[in-house]
Structures are given as C-alpha cells and as structure tokens.
Amino acid sequence: MRAAAEVTQRRFAPFDPRRSVSSWYATGFVVLVAAVLRFHGLAQPQGKLFDETYYAKDGWGLLTKGVEWNYRDNAPAYVVHPPLGKWLIALGEWAFGYYDVDGDQRLTGHLVNAAPEFGWRFSAAVAGTVSVLLMVRIARRLFGSTVLGCAAGLLLALDGFHLVLSRVAMLDVFLLLFVLATFGALLVDRDTRRRARLAALDGQTGEPGGVPWWRLFAALLFGCALATKWSALFFLPVFALLILWWDAGARRSAGSVRPWRETLRRETGWLVVCGAVIVAVYLVSWSGWLLTDDGYFRHYRADTGQSELPVIGALQNLLHYHQQAFGFHSTLQDKHPSQSWPWQWLLLGKPVTVHLAYPGAPWGQAPVSEIILLGTPLLWWSFLPALVATGWLGLARRDWRAWAILLVVAAGLLPWFYYAVDAHRVMFNFYTAPIVPFMVLAVTYVLGVAVGPPGAEAADRRLVGAVAAGAYLVLVALCFAYFHKLFVGEFLPYVDWADRMWLGDRWHP
C-alpha cells in the first residue's frame, strides 16, 4: 500500500519550472538569438511585401478611422479577417510611423521616427520573438528539461518559415503566438490542478476547487487567436478535449471509479464560462466597428430598408458581415502562382515568394533579392518522421505528451485536406503557421527519447544520444545559415541563388 501511494504521488507531482532560476539565463540567450535575427534589418526590403499591401493599410485605417479603410476610394474597406492582428500591426505604426504612397497618408511615430516598414513589421517581430520565449518554457515544462526546452526554442528561432513570418506584416505569426500561448496556459492549468490534487491526497485539502484562473487565461488567449483568424476554431475541440482528458486522467490516478463522469459533472460549467470569455474577447476586438458608423456593412439593415434596433441591430449587421466573409473564404478559388496544397506543405513542395527583385539586368544575369517563405529544409524534412515516431512512442509508452502534440498538429492540418479535396479552395503554405511550434515539439520529443533518461546505468547510451542530438542541432543551424539570405531578402549572385533552389521549379518564383 505504501509503495502504491508513492507511485500515485509521483504521477501527480509535475515538473516544477520554478526550481531553477539559472534556466532563465539559458532562455534569455535563446530569445536574444531570436530577437537579433528578427529585428536586424527589419525595414529591408523597402515597400510592402506580399499581403502587407492589405494589412499595413488596414492597420493604418484602424488607427485613423477605427475600421479598415480604403483611402484611395475614401470608403470603408471590405475585409475578411477579424481585426485583432491588424490592431497589433497598427501599434507598431503608431509607435514608429507609417507612409502610404497610394493614399498619400503619413504618420510620424509617437515614440521614434523610423522607416515606415519598421513600423508595420515591428509587432510581427515582437510576436515571433515572444513565441520563441514561450517555446522554450513550454518545452521545458513538457519534457522536464532545460536543455530540451532550449533546443526547442533554438529550432524555432532557426526556422526560416518562422523567421519570415516574424519579419512581415501578416496575421499568421500572431495566430501562431496565441495558439501556442493557449496551449501553454492549459499546460500550466494541468500542472496547477495536479498539484492541488496531490495536496488533497496528502490530506492537506479536499477536492481541488476554486477558480481555474489559468484555464480562463487560456480562454482569453484563444479568444485573441480567434480574433486574429477564424482558422483558430480548428483547435477549439482539441483544447476542450485536453482539459477534460487531463482532468479525467488525474481523477483516475487518484482512484476515481468514474473519472470521466466526475470530470464532465464538475468541469462542464467552467467550459461554458471559458466559451463566454472567448466570445467576449472576440466581440471586443470588433469594438472599432461596433462603436463607429463607418465600417463596411455597419448599417446594412438600415441601408436595405430593415429595422435596426440599438445594439441588437449592430450585432445583426455584424452577423451578416460574417456570413458574407465566410462565403468568401469557402469559395476562394482565384489562382495564384504561390498557391499550394496541404500534402505539399510539410515537404516544402511550393513555398510562397514574398518578395523578388533583380534590378539592373535581365533575369539570369542580375543579382537576385528574394524572400521565400521556406522552412529550414533539414528541420522541416524531419517533421514527418518525428510525427510518426511520436505517434509510435505515444502508443508504446502511453505518453500523454506525445498525444497532446499530435492532436494539436492534426487539428491545424487535417481540416485543410477537406477544403482542398471537397471545396478545391486556393490555399498557401503559411496556413501551417500555428502548428509549426508543435511539430518542433515532436522533433524535440524524439531527441529527448534518443538521449534517454538520466542514470549511470545508461551513461553510454546518453552520450551517444547527446552527440547525435547535438549534431542534428548543428546541422539545422548550418542549413539555416546557408538559406538565411533567402529569408531576409539580401542580394545573391544569380548562380548562388540558383544553387539554393534545391527542388528546382517547385521553389522557383
């Protein structure tokens, strides 16, 4: 009985990340590397890159009108993504300045006058850097190792796909940040609840109760993800399942006869509260549209001869706007040279060309400046084997960490296969952005298994595993360095540029 009680207590005792202050020094180094890579030369290339032509202007419209605005036509702009990501871009424009040639719109930075490109790219660079910080701490908590946490952070920091998204004013890096942060908050909630249950086993307290603040914070973060892009909804069922699964597992370990029944009875109410928080955050993100009269479809009912009651009428108009935007998303079939299909994404089958310039000479003779939304090849070509290995290890070891990682990856990837097959919708490789950290976690999980657990009896195996894992990290870093100029748009002689087109026409713009 005593041995069984000790096993149960060990299962409840999660890794305590607060025990090592020195781990923050290692974390700081990784974050510093990420920040330098993301902020150095951020204002280059000049001009609006790819979808910056929409989102930089939308941010400026939110600053000046409270809604996205078409200054050329002096009319509200029709947009199909929620406002939060564009509000974040607008913060950088407010702080560092903005200039729009088409509308001759200028803004002097309230904090520092900088190149306007720096202004509209600043928030993306911050989001990318913060996501690396979260990656280190989440991986450290998940795997119980500062070394593995820093390895995960470095892999994310040295991923070209993540770097490019952190250096352009697009929405996807914000979606990545909020999805990852939601998972992190749920992980802390899991550990907090298990500590409370461990205290209950020791007789210090009764049934764990109180307000699950970390869970509510996760709901707030998920509301921010949804207010950035609707594709965040793909992750909602998985996050709800993780909450219930982790709580039911804790109850089973504590000896509950019907753990799932007890979990559903006690936690359903809090899930409803979390849903209300998500809806509230989402509606707050539309406050500029709701509190002004200038937004697209803002007075749709009145303009079409229907009654428009205060508050309710505004919400009905917002619902109509959402129906129209959903129709746009569901039927988007315009061809694009950088479009790709979900089965190509993890293989780097067709990356997006964000920027391309070759001034002064014909193509093939001039130096080339290109920004290509390409994952660091060695890292990305590790993802599929790592996911397969994670699945096998999850079965063999009955490891909840493996299945949590795989569930989030599946939530962010599999729905796009449906849209590709059934709706034939045009899509791009940056749709994978929110699952990139979780694929990095799968790679890190496999590296941790290769190194093995601590112990003198496994010293030789750990040495071999550590050397192999270290060699892999070095090779990823070298691969990243080789492609770095294609991630930041520095000029390359045409021959050197062509040497980096490893998949030939599939990577050519």
Side-chain angles (χ1 to χ4, degrees), residues 1-11:
M1 291 293 293
R2 181 182 180 86
E6 290 177 353
V7 170
T8 301
Q9 290 200 351
R10 282 199 302 271
R11 293 184 65 184

Side-chain angles (χ1 to χ4, degrees), residues 362-387:
W363 176 255
Q365 301 177 23
V368 179
S369 168
E370 182 180 17
I371 296 178
I372 183 171
L373 188 53
L374 177 73
T376 302
L378 181 58
L379 173 62
W380 275 64
W381 289 334
S382 303
F383 284 161
L384 280 176
L387 291 171

Side-chain angles (χ1 to χ4, degrees), residues 237 361 442 448 503:
L503 296 190

Side-chain angles (χ1 to χ4, degrees), residues 264-487:
L264 291 173
R265 180 170 60 86
R266 290 181 175 273
E267 305 302 328
T268 299
W270 283 117
L271 288 181
V272 172
V273 173
C274 288
V277 171
I278 293 170
V279 172
V281 172
Y282 184 78
L283 288 176
V284 168
S285 76
W286 284 89
S287 57
W289 189 92
L290 290 167
L291 299 177
T292 65
D293 295 317
D294 296 328
Y296 204 91
F297 284 138
R298 176 60 184 84
H299 291 290
Y300 166 78
R301 293 182 63 84
D303 294 341
T304 55
Q306 304 176 66
S307 62
E308 186 176 299
L309 299 175
V311 182
I312 295 177
L315 294 176
Q316 289 176 316
N317 292 334
L318 186 61
L319 177 61
H320 175 75
Y321 196 160
H322 280 58
Q323 291 170 338
Q324 296 301 306
F326 181 76
F328 172 87
H329 284 299
S330 301
T331 59
L332 181 60
Q333 296 183 354
D334 295 341
K335 300 299 181 182
H336 192 283
S338 290
Q339 72 183 65
S340 58
W341 300 109
W343 46 86
Q344 296 176 293
W345 292 343
L346 301 192
L347 300 175
L348 302 178
K350 185 58 180 176
V352 170
T353 298
V354 176
H355 163 78
L356 180 66
Y358 47 99
W363 176 255
Q365 301 177 23
V368 179
S369 168
E370 182 180 17
I371 296 178
I372 183 171
L373 188 53
L374 177 73
T376 302
L378 181 58
L379 173 62
W380 275 64
W381 289 334
S382 303
F383 284 161
L384 280 176
L387 291 171
V388 172
T390 299
W392 183 84
L393 290 166
L395 282 173
R397 299 184 170 205
R398 301 178 64 184
D399 193 334
W400 65 271
R401 300 171 300 177
W403 291 109
I405 294 168
L406 291 175
L407 281 171
V408 178
V409 172
L413 184 61
L414 295 184
W416 296 114
F417 282 83
Y418 164 77
Y419 283 108
V421 173
D422 184 72
H424 305 290
R425 183 190 187 278
V426 63
M427 49 190 67
F428 302 91
N429 71 333
F430 52 77
Y431 293 178
T432 60
I435 63 171
V436 169
F438 298 93
M439 293 189 291
V440 169
L441 284 174
V443 172
T444 308
Y445 179 69
V446 175
L447 292 178
V449 172
V451 173
E457 68 280 1
D460 291 341
R461 177 201 162 180
R462 282 178 59 81
L463 177 62
V464 173
V467 170
Y472 173 80
L473 290 173
V474 170
L475 289 174
V476 169
L478 292 174
C479 186
F480 171 82
Y482 180 70
F483 283 93
H484 180 259
K485 290 187 177 181
L486 289 182
F487 301 146

